[in-house]
Amino acid sequence: MTDQPPPPSPAPELFTWEFATDPYPAYAWLREHAPVHRTKLPSGVDAWLVTRYADAKQALADGRLSKNPAHHDEPAHAKGKTGIPGERKAELMTHLLNIDPPDHTRLRRLVSKAFTPRRVAEFAPRVRELTDHLIDQFQERGSADLIHEFAFPLPIYAICDLLGVPREDQDDFRDWAGMMIRHGGGPRGGVGRSVKKMRGYLGELIHKKREALPDVAAPGEDLISGLIRASDHGEHLTENEAAAMAFILLFAGFETTVNLIGNGMYALLTHPGQRERLQTSLAAGERALLETGVEELLRYDGPVELATWRFATEAVHIGGQDITPGDPVLVVLAAADRDPARFTQPDTLDLSRRDNQHLGYGHGIHYCLGAPLARLEGQTALATLLTRLPDLRLAGDPADLRWRGGLIMRGLRTLPVEFTAGRQ
């Protein structure tokens, strides 16, 4: 059943390379003509796309839309094609993106201690140190690929530090993570193999940390040690749950920040007036425009295009459509955050936008746990780049840039830039 009149023209083609370059016109069509739209995804899975802001906010908080893939009424051809490739075989399913209350409540409570404002503030000097170190590596050259040389390694090393991965092992994590974000651009089965290697490493690391765990927690104890301590003191956290938690914090915590920095810097480089406003504000020692600016970049071209999978546990009516139990539902954050019914001039980048309750980090009980850390990394990265490399500019034609494939995330493959070499 539908309350919507038939559209005047066929729906635009989705999930092509052309669509990936600029999906916003297609999303505008869907918002107007088919706000809750059933489509066949590239994987062959049929799913509902929710594109209007009000409907998206409702769906994100609706308890009848489960995160547990067990509720998917999946046909044989769709088996295992939802979620993160390889997570089922690696026994990494019991993480925050795949579970509902009460298990979600219990696990989120355990890990939330790592992302309190105080803990994130304590981590700020390390983020600044990493940021400066990465810029040091290419500053004398006068050119760089900001994705591979900056946006990608920064959150990997940061989240590894937070988890307690030894420095000598962090390059392995960088390699595994690099395979995981290539979205089909690497060797066949490469993502699954990387997930398996990461699972094996995390299992060994958890075992080693448990063996060496002191009786009393030290200030700033790493997250894996904190999870083990909770597990050993009555919180009933299994080893699989601990490994899955560490895995999803790495997986969800790095690619979102890679894309926040990459998409954000690209938007600033292609909107010189907004970029100049921000540089002037930073030079004056002000932070207000930086803070509102990062939120606007999240809204304008955010790192997460579609929220992660949800599955109807009973009949649900959203945006004029009846959704059947077992159906997958994907909330299109990129479409909702440009809804003219919610945002004034939604296709305009305005770093000083105040009324900006975007959905870039979700909504409801699954609101992104790592949002404070991602904001810190995004603000630090953009401010440092614009301050240390004030004449930063794109190297080449923006039309030549390519966006990574994949369903959930939105990010550039590369971002080549030029600047005055050696400038401080």
Side-chain angles (χ1 to χ4, degrees):
M1 293 290 295
T2 177
D3 298 337
Q4 301 296 326
S9 59
E13 191 173 2
L14 306 177
F15 309 119
T16 64
W17 287 113
E18 293 78 12
F19 168 84
T21 299
D22 183 9
Y24 296 103
Y27 288 149
W29 189 98
L30 289 176
R31 272 197 314 267
E32 182 175 357
H33 301 295
V36 179
H37 175 65
R38 188 170 176 85
T39 189
K40 187 176 290 293
L41 304 174
S43 63
V45 176
D46 291 301
W48 293 95
L49 303 182
V50 180
T51 58
R52 287 181 180 170
Y53 183 91
D55 295 335
K57 196 169 182 180
Q58 172 197 334
L60 290 171
D62 195 325
R64 298 169 297 175
L65 297 179
S66 169
K67 298 293 292 173
N68 189 339
H71 292 293
H72 183 196
D73 184 18
E74 55 185 346
H77 73 274
K79 193 74 175 175
K81 293 184 178 178
T82 63
I84 301 167
E87 64 178 357
R88 295 192 189 204
K89 289 184 179 179
E91 298 183 327
L92 290 170
M93 293 290 289
T94 52
H95 56 67
L96 292 174
L97 297 186
N98 282 343
I99 56 175
D100 305 314
D103 285 336
H104 177 270
T105 307
R106 172 176 63 92
L107 294 180
R108 188 177 176 102
R109 183 179 67 247
L110 287 176
V111 76
S112 63
K113 300 169 187 176
F115 296 102
T116 62
R118 178 179 177 180
R119 183 74 184 272
V120 170
E122 291 171 350
F123 200 56
R126 176 58 178 157
V127 173
R128 289 194 295 270
E129 178 187 356
L130 283 168
T131 302
D132 280 323
H133 172 72
L134 291 169
I135 294 175
D136 288 343
Q137 304 306 301
F138 56 74
Q139 187 172 23
E140 293 297 325
R141 199 168 70 230
S143 65
D145 175 358
L146 286 186
I147 301 298
H148 293 281
E149 297 183 74
F150 184 75
F152 177 71
L154 174 59
I156 280 288
Y157 294 137
I159 200 71
C160 280
D161 281 353
L162 196 67
L163 289 171
V165 176
R167 298 280 171 89
E168 61 270 20
D169 295 339
Q170 292 184 6
D171 283 338
D172 287 335
F173 265 74
R174 179 175 176 171
D175 292 342
W176 297 331
M179 179 60 67
M180 290 162 63
I181 72 168
R182 288 167 77 173
H183 299 308
R188 184 177 178 84
V191 175
R193 286 193 294 273
S194 292
V195 170
K196 185 176 180 181
K197 288 176 182 178
M198 194 177 291
R199 171 64 178 89
Y201 176 87
L202 288 171
E204 292 178 8
L205 184 62
I206 289 168
H207 176 73
K208 289 177 183 177
K209 286 185 177 290
R210 177 172 273 126
E211 293 270 303
L213 196 69
D215 293 335
V216 179
E221 181 177 65
D222 68 75
L223 182 52
I224 289 179
S225 295
L227 291 172
I228 295 168
R229 193 177 299 282
S231 172
D232 293 343
H233 289 80
E235 288 284 358
H236 308 297
L237 187 71
T238 68
E239 181 179 315
N240 270 354
E241 287 176 332
M245 181 72 76
F247 166 75
I248 202 59
L249 288 172
L250 178 75
F251 184 84
F254 86 89
E255 190 174 2
T256 51
T257 307
V258 174
N259 296 347
L260 168 58
I261 296 169
N263 298 5
M265 201 67 234
Y266 175 68
L268 292 173
L269 292 174
T270 52
H271 292 78
Q274 294 294 308
R275 175 253 188 91
E276 184 178 353
R277 287 179 64 197
L278 182 54
Q279 284 183 300
T280 300
S281 173
L282 293 170
E286 300 166 354
R287 287 193 59 85
L289 190 63
L290 175 65
E291 292 172 0
T292 60
V294 166
E295 299 308 303
E296 174 68 347
L297 293 168
L298 282 161
R299 183 203 68 81
Y300 179 77
D301 197 10
V304 183
E305 191 166 340
L306 283 75
T308 49
W309 296 84
R310 284 165 168 78
F311 307 93
T313 59
E314 58 184 270
V316 183
H317 191 75
I318 304 176
Q321 292 288 355
D322 290 324
I323 295 172
T324 303
D327 280 359
V329 176
L330 291 166
V331 177
V332 188
L333 305 179
D337 280 342
R338 291 214 189 181
D339 188 344
R342 175 59 185 85
F343 299 100
T344 303
Q345 296 184 310
D347 295 322
T348 298
L349 180 69
D350 178 7
L351 299 184
S352 59
R353 189 184 296 267
R354 294 286 181 180
D355 180 17
N356 197 359
Q357 296 298 312
H358 63 78
L359 300 176
Y361 285 124
H363 174 67
I365 64 169
H366 290 283
Y367 182 84
C368 177
L369 193 64
L373 178 61
R375 286 187 169 105
L376 168 67
E377 291 174 331
Q379 291 175 12
T380 303
L382 296 178
T384 308
L385 282 170
L386 293 175
T387 301
R388 291 189 57 179
L389 309 173
D391 63 346
L392 191 70
R393 58 195 177 275
L394 281 174
D397 188 337
D400 293 332
L401 295 176
R402 294 292 177 263
W403 296 80
R404 290 196 300 275
L407 186 65
I408 302 298
M409 301 291 184
R410 173 166 172 78
L412 287 162
R413 289 176 177 267
T414 61
L415 184 57
V417 294
E418 297 172 337
F419 45 87
T420 301
R423 189 165 181 171
Q424 297 297 316

